[in-house]
Structures are given as structure tokens and as C-alpha cells.
Amino acid sequence: MIKNIIFDLGNVVLKLKWDIVLDRYTCDKETKELLTKVIFDSEEWKMLDMGTIEKDKALGLMLSKLPVYLHDSCKSIMNEWRDALIINDNMIEF
């Protein structure tokens, strides 16, 4: 008899729609790709997810990889990333 089922959150229970927050601060494809790479595809993001780095430290490392004109966008995205978490209705039905 199955008593418990454990689900992963990211892209299982919750859909990760990074474009929701990226679109607020970018208008061209290249900038969006750069911010995605430096924020969401970064080692710092993985470390944040594992709880092995503080947000301020991760943000500082991310900012060091970006041109100054994108610093405010990066800070805003890091403050608003939770807006990109959308409930996966298919999993709720399941």
C-alpha cells in the first residue's frame, strides 16, 4: 500500500516561468538571455537553492558578471523571482 507520495516543487508542483519577471526588466532577447544565464542558470542560483550561500553574497557575485546598467534589473529580479512560480494545475488535479 502506498502511504505517501513526494513531489519536487520546481517544474513539478510549481511551473517556473522566469519570463514573468524577466519581461518586466528586459525588452530585447540578448539581455533576457544574459540575465537568465547570470541569475537562473548560475552556480549561485544552485547554491541558493541548496541553502549553501546567502542571498547577498550570491547577488554580489551575479552583479560582478553583469554590466552596471543591468544591476538594478538583476536586483529587482532577485527580489521578485517568486512571482515566476505558477501552480501546476495538472498536479493539483493529480
Side-chain angles (χ1 to χ4, degrees), residues 1 8 32 34 63 73 79 91 93:
M1 174 197 299
D8 183 45
K32 198 173 183 178
L34 176 60
L63 293 175
S73 294
N79 285 327
M91 290 305 297
E93 289 176 25

Side-chain angles (χ1 to χ4, degrees), residues 21 25 38-40 42 44-45 48 54-56 58-59 62-63 72-82:
V21 290
Y25 303 101
V38 170
I39 299 171
F40 301 117
S42 69
E44 293 82 12
W45 186 262
L48 280 167
E54 296 292 324
K55 181 181 174 187
D56 290 340
L59 180 58
M62 291 172 184
L63 293 175
D72 286 343
S73 294
C74 181
K75 290 174 189 176
S76 295
I77 291 166
M78 286 296 291
N79 285 327
E80 299 173 22
W81 68 269
R82 287 174 191 84

Side-chain angles (χ1 to χ4, degrees), residues 12-13 17-18 20 27 43-44 46 48 50 53-54 60 62 67 70 74-75 79-82:
V12 178
V13 175
K17 301 287 188 175
W18 302 132
I20 291 172
C27 57
E43 287 303 311
E44 293 82 12
K46 291 174 192 169
L48 280 167
M50 291 186 299
I53 192 172
E54 296 292 324
M62 291 172 184
L70 289 177
C74 181
K75 290 174 189 176
N79 285 327
E80 299 173 22
W81 68 269
R82 287 174 191 84

Side-chain angles (χ1 to χ4, degrees), residues 5-39:
I5 300 175
I6 299 171
F7 296 99
D8 183 45
L9 283 178
N11 281 324
V12 178
V13 175
L14 300 171
K15 295 178 185 178
L16 307 176
K17 301 287 188 175
W18 302 132
D19 288 347
I20 291 172
V21 290
L22 287 165
D23 287 344
R24 292 176 189 166
Y25 303 101
T26 62
C27 57
D28 62 87
K29 183 180 176 183
E30 293 79 23
T31 301
K32 198 173 183 178
E33 288 173 357
L34 176 60
L35 286 168
T36 298
K37 178 182 173 187
V38 170
I39 299 171

